[in-house]
Amino acid sequence: MSTTGILALQGGFFKHQEMVEKLGEKTLLIKKPEQLEFCDRLIIPGGESTTLTKLFDIYDFREPLINFGKTRPVMGTCAGLILLSSKVEDSRVKQLNLIDIEAERNAYGSQVESFSADIYADFLKKEYKCIFIRAPKIKECSENVKILMSYEGNPIAVEQGRILALTFHPELTQDPSIHEYFLKL
Ligand code: GLN
């Protein structure tokens, strides 16, 4: 059986763990870089990209995460997407440059502007309830990046090779189909 690592430094890692385990998969909460070698794929959850940047530095996660993402699947949600990106206009965030997109933090406004929307996902062939919490927007996308879902003309789910990045929170729904998709990448 394969193991899905879930980065557990800060943010919403437990809900991702619950969802992956409901799908019958083994999980490992990652608190130290050495644990990455036991994982077949990794989820970087939502949280705060500035705080996660500091924690990556403190615990020496940056290089191990970059190397992991070059060979194994990684899904980043919300702050996770910001960290996977190749460009962010915020000097407090040091992104990992694993997917060729530019992210804009808090692009819909503050916490009170958080919202959900039912959006048709062609790659799942159904509607998916997308929950946006102080969500980023994807400002630019290189042509190597596949857009899987958009909302009001903005990409919200994108994929490049084995890297999957979402501006919303699939772990907060009851629908495991995006996690299921990721497990097959
Ligand atoms: N606004 C947060 C950030 O910039 C992301 C919010 C989230 O992950 N729910 O990192």
Side-chain angles (χ1 to χ4, degrees), residues 46-50 77-80 82 105-106 133-136 169:
E48 203 56 55
S49 51
T50 48
T77 61
C78 206
I82 297 168
R105 297 185 62 224
N106 303 324
I133 303 171
R134 287 181 307 115
H169 288 266

Side-chain angles (χ1 to χ4, degrees), residues 106-173:
N106 303 324
Y108 297 91
S110 63
Q111 186 78 19
V112 286
E113 260 86 46
S114 297
F115 63 101
S116 71
D118 291 326
I119 299 168
Y120 184 73
D122 199 36
F123 77 114
L124 303 172
K125 299 277 172 255
K126 64 172 177 175
E127 268 198 351
Y128 195 88
K129 185 185 174 73
C130 300
I131 300 174
F132 299 89
I133 303 171
R134 287 181 307 115
K137 271 187 189 166
I138 298 171
K139 274 177 77 178
E140 295 283 341
C141 237
S142 104
E143 59 200 18
N144 306 322
V145 174
K146 189 167 156 195
I147 299 174
L148 298 175
M149 281 173 89
S150 295
Y151 174 64
E152 294 181 338
N154 298 304
I156 57 167
V158 290
E159 181 181 279
Q160 185 176 12
R162 295 190 185 87
I163 308 291
L164 175 64
L166 315 169
T167 63
F168 56 92
H169 288 266
E171 78 284 7
L172 297 179
T173 66

Side-chain angles (χ1 to χ4, degrees), residues 15-141:
K15 288 282 178 191
H16 280 290
Q17 184 181 38
E18 249 175 59
M19 200 153 239
V20 173
E21 287 189 352
K22 261 190 211 156
L23 290 168
E25 278 289 318
K26 205 167 124 195
T27 61
L28 182 62
L29 292 179
I30 306 292
K31 294 185 184 285
K32 292 181 184 162
E34 308 86 84
Q35 292 173 286
L36 286 170
E37 68 176 281
F38 305 110
C39 303
D40 300 284
R41 64 186 76 77
L42 179 74
I43 296 176
I44 305 182
E48 203 56 55
S49 51
T50 48
T51 308
L52 281 160
T53 294
K54 285 185 194 157
L55 294 169
F56 286 1
D57 284 337
I58 294 168
Y59 295 105
D60 288 325
F61 257 108
R62 185 169 319 281
E63 285 307 308
L65 285 175
I66 293 171
N67 291 333
F68 189 96
K70 283 181 183 162
T71 52
R72 282 167 277 181
V74 181
M75 173 165 83
T77 61
C78 206
L81 170 143
I82 297 168
L83 290 161
L84 287 176
S85 74
S86 51
K87 191 170 175 201
V88 190
E89 288 287 336
D90 189 326
S91 57
R92 292 169 299 171
V93 177
K94 284 191 233 153
Q95 64 284 356
L96 300 170
N97 207 359
L98 286 169
I99 186 166
D100 222 351
I101 56 171
E102 177 175 354
E104 182 187 351
R105 297 185 62 224
N106 303 324
Y108 297 91
S110 63
Q111 186 78 19
V112 286
E113 260 86 46
S114 297
F115 63 101
S116 71
D118 291 326
I119 299 168
Y120 184 73
D122 199 36
F123 77 114
L124 303 172
K125 299 277 172 255
K126 64 172 177 175
E127 268 198 351
Y128 195 88
K129 185 185 174 73
C130 300
I131 300 174
F132 299 89
I133 303 171
R134 287 181 307 115
K137 271 187 189 166
I138 298 171
K139 274 177 77 178
E140 295 283 341
C141 237

